[in-house]
Amino acid sequence: MELEQALHAARALVIADLMADEVADADIVSMVEDAVAHRRWWVEQWPEGVEFVAGLVAQDVQDALLERYGRWPLCPVCTDGGDPHALDVEPELGLDPHWVCAKTAVSVARVGSLGTAAR
């Protein structure tokens, strides 16, 4: 049951971030579902990795979006440079994943909390 709870929580967190940026349309939610299915297999192979699934699903969706639509989520910290860039998930494989600006090392929000981040 721990696996299913972690996968549902990861799905909810990533969808919350997508909704905060108003990009949670059906095609993109399908990308979330694909990422969750992939991570279900991954955690079945490495059960100790269940703690890291939220950050990994966020990264998977971010990668899928980059391939099809562009960068997401855009950094709200670096708005003056004219070169928009996406936030990164840190730690890449760890507990308590956050969206972080790699250029400034500013932690913007926890994964699942973009809508509550100060912008």
Side-chain angles (χ1 to χ4, degrees):
M1 191 56 117
E2 181 180 346
L3 168 60
E4 289 304 315
Q5 289 174 339
L7 291 169
H8 287 296
R11 179 187 186 280
L13 291 172
V14 174
I15 289 177
D17 285 343
L18 291 164
M19 290 177 65
D21 279 347
E22 299 178 356
V23 294
D25 67 22
D27 288 342
I28 293 172
V29 171
S30 291
M31 289 180 190
V32 176
E33 298 301 334
D34 291 344
V36 168
H38 171 72
R39 291 302 170 179
R40 175 178 283 111
W41 176 87
W42 183 84
V43 174
E44 287 170 350
Q45 306 309 305
W46 187 48
E48 295 82 14
V50 72
E51 298 175 323
F52 312 131
V53 78
L56 293 169
V57 169
Q59 291 174 58
D60 292 345
V61 171
Q62 186 178 41
D63 290 346
L65 281 168
L66 181 59
E67 289 176 16
R68 288 171 101 182
Y69 298 105
R71 296 179 185 105
W72 175 84
L74 292 179
C75 179
V77 176
C78 301
T79 57
D80 295 334
D83 182 26
H85 62 276
L87 298 171
D88 293 335
V89 174
E90 290 188 12
E92 287 185 31
L93 185 63
L95 300 174
D96 197 22
H98 281 70
W99 292 110
V100 176
C101 171
K103 290 185 177 184
T104 63
V106 171
S107 178
V108 174
R110 283 186 155 139
V111 168
S113 298
L114 279 179
T116 61
R119 293 188 179 221

